[in-house]
Amino acid sequence: EPEVTQTPSHQVTQMGQEVILRCVPISNHLYFYWYRQILGQKVEFLVSFYNNEISEKSEIFDDQFSVERPDGSNFTLKIRSTKLEDSAMYFCASPRAEGTDTQYFGPGTRLTVL
Amino acid sequence: AQTVTQSQPEMSVQEAETVTLSCTYDTSENNYYLFWYKQPPSRQMILVIRQEAYKQQNATENRFSVNFQKAAKSFSLKISDSQLGDTAMYFCAFMSFGNEKLTFGTGTRLTIIP
């Protein structure tokens, strides 16, 4: 059973549209991470989020991306104006307990930009 | 910046045999963590095993064990008594102590042949 859940499992959108990907932890995690995996490639770090603030972001995470914690239990990744190259699997991850280093991944959202 | 290299894009082995997946990494850090994640066709990222760099003893989890050679910056994964369910992509990952992001290798596609 995954530590976190993600919705939707698959999102299809038109280029230029905004998408919001959601991540819900089973327990109340303060640390959250987003990763991206373009089909056939390795998993890449996007952003880490701690206690309602971005703690680190990669060069992939440009102004088109944003992360929020709209309420106490959800984390979101928003892409404002999707491009074809945003098509990928998007994973959120979290440690099982605060102060631990091992990240457990959600099942992922497959984003397809047409 | 840290880099992780997996030099075997694909491997295959007969069921019940033992297989070793290689991983090397480059870092100037002394304290860090290493992980192996498994990604089956469902594309879920599943933690297989973790190793703390300050521990000399190699980690083991049932049929999975690692050969951690810190001086050589090598972190191989051995799967004993391989099973059909082990068929998946396997990713090696690195995390610095105190820095939360995971840096992944390009993966090894492992196929277990019945």
Side-chain angles (χ1 to χ4, degrees), chain A residues 35-44 88-91 105-109, chain B residues 6 21 36-48 64 77 85-92 104-111:
Chain A
Y35 293 85
R36 179 182 80 175
Q37 184 185 32
I38 296 172
L39 184 64
Q41 298 186 21
K42 66 179 179 181
V43 179
E44 299 174 292
M89 283 290 287
Y90 289 82
F91 294 99
F105 282 71
T109 292
Chain B
Q6 293 180 251
L21 310 182
W36 279 96
Y37 284 87
K38 168 185 176 181
Q39 187 178 43
S42 66
R43 301 194 72 179
Q44 168 93 42
M45 294 291 287
I46 302 167
L47 177 71
V48 175
F64 299 87
L77 174 70
D86 295 333
T87 292
M89 283 288 287
Y90 286 81
F91 292 96
C92 179
F104 286 87
T106 52
T108 296
R109 182 177 302 279
L110 176 65
T111 301

Side-chain angles (χ1 to χ4, degrees), chain A residues 33 35 37 91 101-103, chain B residues 37 39 43 50 100 102:
Chain A
Y33 313 88
Y35 293 85
Q37 184 185 32
F91 294 99
D101 51 85
T102 302
Q103 294 178 25
Chain B
Y37 284 87
Q39 187 178 43
R43 301 194 72 179
R50 74 188 272 275
E100 314 110 22
L102 287 164

Side-chain angles (χ1 to χ4, degrees), chain B residues 3-70:
Chain B
T3 58
V4 178
T5 302
Q6 293 180 251
S7 59
Q8 305 152 313
E10 294 188 19
M11 294 187 73
S12 60
V13 66
Q14 291 289 133
E15 190 178 5
E17 291 187 349
T18 294
V19 62
T20 299
L21 310 182
S22 65
C23 173
T24 58
Y25 57 95
D26 187 27
T27 184
S28 58
E29 311 262 343
N30 191 46
N31 293 324
Y32 49 87
Y33 305 93
L34 295 162
F35 305 86
W36 279 96
Y37 284 87
K38 168 185 176 181
Q39 187 178 43
S42 66
R43 301 194 72 179
Q44 168 93 42
M45 294 291 287
I46 302 167
L47 177 71
V48 175
I49 201 165
R50 74 188 272 275
Q51 173 82 41
E52 295 112 328
Y54 60 86
K55 288 188 177 179
Q56 292 187 337
Q57 186 174 6
N58 289 323
T60 63
E61 287 288 342
N62 301 313
R63 297 182 297 109
F64 299 87
S65 61
V66 298
N67 183 3
F68 173 50
Q69 301 290 329
K70 190 172 183 180

Side-chain angles (χ1 to χ4, degrees), chain A residues 15-108:
Chain A
M15 188 170 60
Q17 295 295 305
E18 175 183 283
V19 294
I20 297 176
L21 311 182
R22 291 181 171 80
C23 186
V24 181
I26 293 177
S27 55
N28 192 25
H29 294 292
L30 289 180
Y31 282 95
F32 247 82
Y33 313 88
W34 284 99
Y35 293 85
R36 179 182 80 175
Q37 184 185 32
I38 296 172
L39 184 64
Q41 298 186 21
K42 66 179 179 181
V43 179
E44 299 174 292
F45 170 77
L46 287 176
V47 65
S48 57
F49 195 74
Y50 172 66
N51 202 23
N52 298 324
E53 289 185 359
I54 291 175
S55 56
E56 185 174 356
K57 59 183 181 181
S58 73
E59 55 192 28
I60 302 171
F61 194 86
D62 60 21
D63 292 343
Q64 293 286 74
F65 290 88
S66 62
V67 288
E68 289 183 355
R69 192 179 184 186
D71 57 44
S73 60
N74 287 278
F75 289 82
T76 62
L77 175 69
K78 182 190 294 185
I79 309 174
R80 291 189 182 81
S81 179
T82 51
K83 303 186 284 285
L84 295 177
E85 53 264 38
D86 293 328
S87 294
M89 283 290 287
Y90 289 82
F91 294 99
C92 65
S94 180
R96 183 169 283 160
E98 298 304 330
T100 61
D101 51 85
T102 302
Q103 294 178 25
Y104 294 87
F105 282 71

